[in-house]
């Protein structure tokens, strides 16, 4: 017992300083994309068509990216030609689906809930996580929010086992046919008023399973979404930043 106490004292306080200080992420981290409009109209159309996930578009010869579909792989011709680069900005979550469409304008961060909803959930938010056909990457990065580094509980946010004890759902996965019924029943079991959060490219737009006959293109056509957290998977700080912005804590 004394050895355990001694070791705890030696290790000290391990919880991160976020949100007082911005987290220090690895150089290889791929965050908010930056678009350089340096392509000819033909090149713009060519690189847009090359993305297998339809994350890139070309409108009026201007390259666009849909953060809800992008897997942040950096393997596309747009990245190879320098038209698309990834910054270290982890702040990606938004309230509206259209805010995930980027061209060369500033990225709009998630707005906070209205006053009534913040009064209900601002200091205590219980979420039921539903993996609706995910690969476990998004689920794993949400799970680590409960570890001592991130310590999600210090913000009054917790994951709960029963939807009847939850204030909302946080959904991962593209919603396979097998999970569609379970997702809708879980949503129905959450008492009103409730929140729905789509975490990851699959939950937002289907990810690599987009247009598959065995999966939906995310939850947008099934449930009303209050917060979109893009990424494949979203970094834990991306998810935490989005949740705190939703609750008006940032």
């Amino acid at each position: 017992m004394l050895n355990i106490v001694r070791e705890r004292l030696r290790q000290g306080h391990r919880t991160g300083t976020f949100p007082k200080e911005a987290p220090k992420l690895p150089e290889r981290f791929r965050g908010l994309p930056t678009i350089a409009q340096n392509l000819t109209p033909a090149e713009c159309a060519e690189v847009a068509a090359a993305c297998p996930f339809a994350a890139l578009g070309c409108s009026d010869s201007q390259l666009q990216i849909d953060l809800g579909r992008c897997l942040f792989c950096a393997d596309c011709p747009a990245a190879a030609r320098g038209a698309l680069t990834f910054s270290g900005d982890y702040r990606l979550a938004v309230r509206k689906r259209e805010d995930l469409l980027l061209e060369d304008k500033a990225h709009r961060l998630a707005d906070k809930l209205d006053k009534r909803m913040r009064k209900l959930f601002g200091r205590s938010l219980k979420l039921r996580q539903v993996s609706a056909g995910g690969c476990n990457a998004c689920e794993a990065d949400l799970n680590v929010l409960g570890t001592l580094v991130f310590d999600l509980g210090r913000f009054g946010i917790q994951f709960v086992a029963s939807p009847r004890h939850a204030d909302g759902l946080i959904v991962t996965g593209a919603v396979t046919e097998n999970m569609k019924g379970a997702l809708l029943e879980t949503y129905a079991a959450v008492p009103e008023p409730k929140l729905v959060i789509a975490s990851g490219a699959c939950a937002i737009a289907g990810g690599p399973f987009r247009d598959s006959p065995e999966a939906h293109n995310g939850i947008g056509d099934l449930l009303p979404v209050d917060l979109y957290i893009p990424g494949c998977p979203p970094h834990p700080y991306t998810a935490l930043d989005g949740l705190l912005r939703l609750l008006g804590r940032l």
Side-chain angles (χ1 to χ4, degrees):
M1 183 65 184
L2 289 176
N3 290 337
I4 295 175
V5 173
R6 189 181 299 113
E7 181 61 21
R8 292 293 297 165
L9 292 174
R10 186 190 70 80
Q11 292 189 16
H13 188 69
R14 294 293 187 92
T15 302
T17 55
F18 183 83
K20 291 182 179 179
E21 298 178 13
K24 296 179 181 178
L25 300 178
E27 291 183 1
R28 296 177 61 186
F29 171 74
R30 296 176 190 143
L32 183 66
T34 302
I35 297 175
Q37 303 292 358
N38 58 351
L39 302 176
T40 65
E43 290 173 333
C44 182
E46 179 186 349
V47 299
C51 178
F53 312 115
L56 295 176
C58 189
S59 177
D60 297 329
S61 302
Q62 300 290 304
L63 189 64
Q64 300 173 323
I65 183 169
D66 184 347
L67 294 183
R69 295 178 180 176
C70 183
L71 305 190
F72 294 74
C73 63
D75 289 333
C76 58
R81 298 184 185 187
L84 181 67
T85 56
F86 293 89
S87 71
D89 193 347
Y90 58 93
R91 301 170 300 171
L92 302 173
V94 300
R95 292 291 308 279
K96 297 178 180 178
R97 180 68 179 88
E98 55 267 30
D99 289 339
L100 291 173
L101 301 176
L102 287 185
E103 193 169 311
D104 53 3
K105 61 183 180 181
H107 180 52
R108 180 172 181 172
L109 299 174
D111 296 321
K112 59 188 178 185
L113 293 167
D114 61 36
K115 185 176 180 180
R116 173 175 171 269
M117 295 293 275
R118 280 187 283 121
K119 185 176 181 179
L120 289 171
F121 303 136
R123 300 180 64 181
S124 176
L125 178 65
K126 312 299 181 186
L127 295 172
R128 176 68 168 93
Q129 202 275 312
V130 179
S131 178
C135 68
N136 279 342
C138 291
E139 293 83 347
D141 274 2
L142 290 176
N143 189 46
V144 301
L145 288 175
T147 62
L148 77 169
V149 174
F150 301 96
D151 193 13
L152 187 66
R154 65 187 157 131
F155 302 107
I157 307 171
Q158 293 177 313
F159 294 116
V160 295
S162 170
R164 299 188 188 281
H165 301 160
D167 302 311
L169 302 180
I170 184 164
V171 183
T172 56
V175 189
T176 61
E177 278 298 312
N178 287 340
M179 282 300 298
K180 177 183 175 182
L183 173 63
L184 296 179
E185 290 180 10
T186 305
Y187 175 76
V190 178
E192 296 281 356
K194 48 194 168 186
L195 302 174
V196 176
I197 300 168
S199 183
C202 290
I204 295 173
F209 310 105
R210 183 172 177 269
D211 293 335
S212 165
E214 298 300 326
H216 292 263
N217 291 335
I219 63 173
D221 60 342
L222 298 173
L223 300 175
V225 180
D226 298 284
L227 182 69
Y228 297 89
I229 306 175
C232 183
H235 192 281
Y237 277 123
T238 301
L240 184 54
D241 177 80
L243 290 170
L244 294 183
R245 290 185 187 280
L246 183 70
L247 299 178
R249 305 282 289 273
L250 285 178

